[in-house]
Amino acid sequence: MTDSSDRRAARLLHHRKPGLGQGDPVVPPITATATFHLPHVQAGGHFYGRNGLPTWEAVEAQLAILEDADCVTFPSGMAAISAGLFATLKQGARLVVPSDGYYVTRVLSQGFLAPFGVSVTELPTRAYATADFAGADVVYLETPSNPGLDAVDIAAVAARARAAGARVIADNTTMTPLLQRPLDLGCDLVVAADTKAPAGHSDVLFGHVATRDAALLARLRDWRRMSGAIPGPFEAFLVHRGLETLELRLSRMCASAALIAQRLAGHRAVRNLRYPGLPGDPSYAVTKAQAAQGGFLIAFELADAAAAEAFLTRCPLIEQTTSFGGAHSSAERRARWGDAVPEGFIRLSVGIEPVEELWAAIAAALE
Ligand SMILES: *Cc1c(COP(=O)(O)O)cnc(C)c1O
């Protein structure tokens, strides 16, 4: 981690201290209420559970430290992405989305935004480096992309997109704000699935949008209040607890991923390994320049679908699941979802297991 991310991680752990009085709970309470005592409407404070809830606000305070920006939380990553898109698009607008990024964002754009008159253009992440954004209203990027792990220079894309008059949204899920901060690099909005590494224990869905633009912030809050896409207090509590160990977990996950990527790359059964933190990877230079570490996701290919399935079934320390960023290592064969990847393509999310145990299990399962 960089110095400033260390400082943010430390501040995050103590964010409640200035607001605490004698006898107050150090951990934010789960405020499970729809209604608040409201004898006078104008007197301030909370007034209805769709407008604001102390437990989400505790998570927003943590995320604001990590993002250096105001944050609005949502009940899932997709709810956050929807909010970002609905807050910035209107009829006739042109949206650019990655053709190789998180697929639900594309399906949402084509299935729900296009019918309202938004024109949706799909571009591979690597093409963002040279794309002409003339006429675009919103340029949406994801780097490294999920699942292919292609990276693009965020500052360069944001500068070109903004020069063309577009707003720039970055899905920062694969990196988290401790590793990469798109707002510092010129993006208008960050959207993220906190379901993944930030919550970190595969027991809750959650998301957030971060921005330093006051008008956009107001619009995002209006969207949440009017669409009703509000997080629950129990979920917010779990995310608050998860975020307290994000820095610790990420350190382990990234260090292990770097080691495992290097060893996998030298394994005779493995082809086309991608890890943005591995020197020589096509994403290495750009990731090194804009991210604190290479992340915890590795992509690679085994001979075919059968070899990939056999590996995943045999490895006792890899959970077969479709999400990533959890404490336990997990992986899946992405072609089973129809991603445009070879049949033997595996996306591996490295967890917090002691790395030599994990490597021994992976190496044995590859034999
Ligand atoms: C998982 C994911 C999402 C969606 O998050 P949910 O919490 O599942 O709605 C969005 N973007 C990326 C890159 C993701 O990996």
Side-chain angles (χ1 to χ4, degrees), residues 184-333:
D184 290 356
L185 301 171
C187 296
D188 298 281
L189 289 183
V190 162
V191 295
D194 298 307
T195 308
K196 312 290 170 54
H201 295 74
S202 314
D203 51 8
V204 62
L205 281 91
F206 211 79
H208 78 271
V209 184
T211 186
R212 295 173 186 159
D213 177 318
L216 272 178
L217 177 70
R219 217 165 142 69
L220 290 161
R221 288 192 175 136
D222 280 351
W223 169 261
R224 177 172 64 184
R225 187 162 53 85
M226 293 171 193
S227 69
I230 56 161
F234 299 93
E235 287 75 11
F237 176 85
L238 287 174
V239 176
H240 191 278
R241 183 165 65 172
L243 279 167
E244 293 197 329
T245 57
L246 176 61
E247 189 272 337
L248 188 61
R249 285 181 287 108
L250 273 180
S251 299
R252 168 68 72 89
M253 288 156 70
C254 294
S256 297
L259 187 66
I260 284 173
Q262 193 193 338
R263 291 183 184 173
L264 278 176
H267 195 285
R268 63 192 148 62
V270 170
R271 293 198 297 240
N272 296 330
L273 180 129
R274 296 296 309 274
Y275 177 64
L278 191 66
D281 187 273
S283 296
Y284 178 73
V286 80
T287 302
K288 190 167 171 52
Q290 67 191 10
Q293 298 190 54
F296 50 85
L297 293 175
I298 301 171
F300 60 96
E301 288 167 40
L302 297 181
D304 51 27
E309 293 293 349
F311 165 70
L312 294 173
T313 306
R314 271 201 302 263
C315 186
L317 298 187
I318 293 180
E319 205 54 62
Q320 286 178 270
T321 172
T322 193
S323 195
F324 61 79
H328 41 254
S329 292
S330 65
E332 71 171 337
R333 200 172 64 78

Side-chain angles (χ1 to χ4, degrees), residues 76-78 81 102 142 146 171 173 193 195-196 205 324:
S76 66
M78 280 316 304
I81 290 167
Y102 188 68
E142 188 182 313
N146 168 29
D171 182 333
T173 302
T195 308
K196 312 290 170 54
L205 281 91
F324 61 79

Side-chain angles (χ1 to χ4, degrees), residues 120-132:
V120 181
T121 304
E122 296 189 9
L123 278 184
T125 294
R126 292 172 83 166
Y128 276 58
T130 51
D132 177 5

